[in-house]
Amino acid sequence: MRSGGARLRRWVARARLSSLRTTFTVSFAAVAAAVTVLVGFLSYDAAARLVRVDQQTVFEGVVQDLLDEVRHSALTPADFATADADGGPRDELIRPSGTVVQVLGPDAAVVDRGHPPLPVGADDKRIAAARPAGQLVEHRDVDVGDGMYRVATVSLGDGRGAVQIAQEFSDTEDLLRELQQRTVLLVGAVVIAAGLFGWWLARRITSRLVRLAGAAEDVARTGRLGIQVPVAGYDEVARLGRSFDRMLGRLAQSEEDQRRLVQDAGHELRTPLTSLRTNISMLRRIDELPPAARGELVADLAQESRELTDLVNELVDLAAGQSDREPLQRVALADIAEDVAVAARRRTGRAVTVRVSGDTAVDGRPGALQRALSNLVDNAAKFDRGGSEPIDIVVTGTGTGTGAGMPVGTGAGAGTAAAVRVEVLDRGPGIAEEDLERVFDRFYRAPDARSLPGSGLGLSIVREVAAAHGGEPFARRREGGGSAIGFTVSGGSGGSGGGEG
């Protein structure tokens, strides 16, 4: 059933992508069709109008020339009956547009028949018998033989007859009709070509979406976050693929961090739990123990329960990312350092000094920053057991400082743009060079520190808080002995979120 459900989901995803491909193809073809039809219609209409107007203009010019000639000259049917070698009136009518000329006598009889012959109607007979010269009657859409003609009849005057001239326009309409058919065929060809190109383009675009959807389905089906996501190009689909790939990378890293956290936590919890079980088993014979042993057993139980409680609390804070839920606000790290120093003096009895320079205001989470700084001071107090010199808290507002003068184990080096730098100085045994790279790892404890109380999570929390505030942790050895451990904080919006927890 599970395999069938996966196949069904893949089929649905492909159907949706196919629908997108079909939509893209149809839309592309529809736009191309609309543009082509519009351009074709406008082009055909303009061409047809131009041809018809030009033909009509030429015919009207011939008619007007004939009217002017018969009004100014007393012409007879014989003047138009035959062509003159020198170019007579008949030739002047035929040459401009290839018109048909037919001459009518006084009684409207055909003196010279046109080719093809033109019909003679009642109006034409009336014009042939008219007394004034230059009277005109015009007929449109006259069916002559196999074609349609435009016919005009002009009187010669004094009843001498008339001249008929005709212009065929059916061949022009045939030409325009053929042009129309070719335009339609061209539009169809463009639409088909646009559809094919749109299909090819949609397939090329959606093929990457298909691969991306397949990768997402593989992740959902197998739960494996290390699947390679196909990414090609620089357009929106490629950006989506890269974003999805980065998201999978972050999820895989988060899953790995959680797995390591659980493994490390399980390993660290075994020691106090084993010790607690051993001491609890001794409670069954507490009456047999001498008073001094009883007190030592109770003290061990109390110490181990406190360490176990601290370890669980730190694990919960680290795993839940508690600092992320605290709202950002404008805080002065100098004020936080003073509060931490006061609490540390009261708790440890040690001398804790605070040195401040520059503007130390940042956008951050005060609770998380105070927790990180407290961890640094507690770490210094734990390792500096002699207590001959004070623990120094140095808060420096560096603006866009470079972190120069900060030998780094893991953390801010040259080129770090930090707004505020927080550093805790002690005169303890210091950190070995080989341990500088690992002091901020979860549960890591240097060989010299394994006999001391602690969970190995304090400096890891410092790293998470620094990362959540756009900064980095750092650690170095001090000249003359001791350690300098701290972190940087961006002066802006407090980072993008909290660490890896």
Side-chain angles (χ1 to χ4, degrees):
M1 290 296 292
R2 183 176 302 174
S3 176
R7 285 196 296 269
L8 179 60
R9 287 193 296 271
R10 287 197 297 272
W11 182 85
V12 171
R14 289 193 182 97
R16 289 175 179 172
L17 289 172
S18 298
S19 176
L20 176 62
R21 183 179 301 171
T22 302
T23 302
F24 193 95
T25 302
V26 172
S27 300
F28 197 88
V31 172
V35 173
T36 307
V37 168
L38 180 61
V39 172
F41 172 77
L42 294 178
S43 300
Y44 170 79
D45 183 69
R49 188 186 302 275
L50 183 62
V51 169
R52 291 189 179 112
V53 169
D54 182 67
Q55 192 179 43
Q56 177 69 21
T57 302
V58 171
F59 183 72
E60 290 176 353
V62 173
V63 173
Q64 186 62 46
D65 290 342
L66 178 58
L67 290 173
D68 292 340
E69 192 169 7
V70 299
R71 286 172 181 170
H72 292 88
S73 303
L75 299 176
T76 65
D79 295 326
F80 293 93
T82 58
D84 191 341
D86 297 331
R90 183 186 182 93
D91 293 335
E92 292 178 359
L93 297 177
I94 296 175
R95 286 172 186 165
S97 60
T99 55
V100 177
V101 178
Q102 181 169 281
V103 182
L104 303 179
D107 54 355
V110 178
V111 175
D112 187 3
R113 191 175 302 277
H115 301 283
L118 302 178
V120 180
D123 290 338
D124 300 319
K125 294 178 180 180
R126 177 178 56 82
I127 289 297
R131 303 299 297 175
Q135 285 195 355
L136 172 68
V137 62
E138 188 172 356
H139 308 282
R140 295 182 179 274
D141 301 338
V142 177
D143 188 3
V144 179
D146 296 332
M148 299 296 294
Y149 284 75
R150 185 180 294 110
V151 181
T153 305
V154 177
S155 65
L156 296 177
D158 296 329
R160 292 190 297 269
V163 177
Q164 289 183 300
I165 55 176
Q167 181 188 54
E168 184 179 9
F169 63 87
S170 57
D171 55 348
T172 303
E173 295 300 324
D174 292 340
L175 176 64
L176 293 177
R177 193 175 299 110
E178 183 179 357
L179 176 62
Q180 186 181 42
Q181 293 173 353
R182 292 187 178 183
T183 302
V184 172
L185 291 176
L186 178 62
V187 169
V190 170
V191 170
I192 294 174
L196 293 175
F197 179 75
W199 176 83
W200 173 82
L201 185 61
R203 182 178 181 182
R204 183 175 180 181
I205 294 174
T206 57
S207 60
R208 291 183 291 166
L209 290 176
V210 170
R211 294 194 295 269
L212 186 59
E217 291 164 2
D218 290 341
V219 172
R221 184 178 65 257
T222 64
R224 293 186 295 108
L225 300 176
I227 292 177
Q228 183 67 30
V229 178
V231 177
Y234 299 94
D235 56 6
E236 287 77 2
V237 177
R239 288 173 53 194
L240 176 62
R242 281 190 286 270
S243 298
F244 186 69
D245 190 50
R246 287 194 296 268
M247 180 188 70
L248 288 182
R250 293 289 296 272
L251 289 175
Q253 183 63 42
S254 178
E255 185 180 52
E256 176 64 19
D257 291 341
Q258 290 177 1
R259 186 185 62 80
R260 288 193 297 107
L261 177 62
V262 171
Q263 290 177 347
D264 294 342
H267 175 76
E268 292 296 324
L269 286 170
R270 288 191 186 99
T271 300
L273 288 175
T274 301
S275 179
L276 277 174
R277 283 198 301 268
T278 302
N279 288 331
I280 289 174
S281 65
M282 293 289 295
L283 288 176
R284 298 174 182 175
R285 299 185 295 111
I286 193 171
D287 294 337
E288 302 175 8
L289 299 177
R294 295 178 188 176
E296 184 177 352
L297 177 60
V298 172
D300 286 346
L301 285 171
Q303 177 65 26
E304 289 164 358
S305 64
R306 283 194 298 270
E307 291 184 5
L308 184 60
T309 300
D310 292 341
L311 176 59
V312 171
N313 289 337
E314 289 177 338
L315 282 173
V316 170
D317 290 345
L318 196 60
Q322 190 175 33
S323 61
D324 291 348
R325 296 192 296 269
E326 188 179 5
L328 287 170
Q329 55 183 287
R330 195 70 176 173
V331 295
L333 281 174
D335 297 339
I336 293 179
E338 291 290 351
D339 294 339
V340 170
V342 171
R345 295 186 197 108
R346 184 173 60 252
R347 185 172 61 252
T348 65
R350 295 287 304 275
V352 181
T353 63
V354 178
R355 301 202 303 266
V356 179
S357 62
D359 182 10
T360 65
V362 296
D363 292 334
R365 300 177 175 90
L369 292 170
Q370 185 169 4
R371 176 69 182 275
L373 189 52
S374 296
N375 286 354
L376 291 178
V377 174
D378 291 343
N379 187 75
K382 180 173 65 175
F383 286 96
D384 188 6
R385 286 167 286 181
S388 59
E389 293 190 26
I391 298 172
D392 296 326
I393 303 176
V394 181
V395 184
T396 306
T398 60
T400 57
T402 61
M406 191 191 306
V408 177
T410 60
T416 300
V420 180
R421 178 183 169 202
V422 181
E423 192 173 21
V424 175
L425 311 176
D426 66 65
R427 286 299 181 183
I431 303 174
E433 290 290 342
E434 60 270 17
D435 294 328
L436 285 175
E437 294 290 338
R438 302 190 58 191
V439 291
F440 294 101
D441 292 346
R442 293 171 181 171
F443 300 107
Y444 179 77
R445 303 180 73 186
D448 296 340
R450 291 172 185 170
S451 60
L452 299 176
S455 63
L457 289 175
L459 294 184
S460 178
I461 292 176
V462 172
R463 182 187 65 183
E464 303 296 334
V465 172
H469 289 78
E472 294 179 310
F474 59 88
R476 63 182 176 87
R477 296 171 59 86
R478 292 184 67 190
E479 294 183 4
S483 303
I485 306 178
F487 59 93
T488 59
V489 178
S490 171
S493 60
S496 59
E500 305 168 329

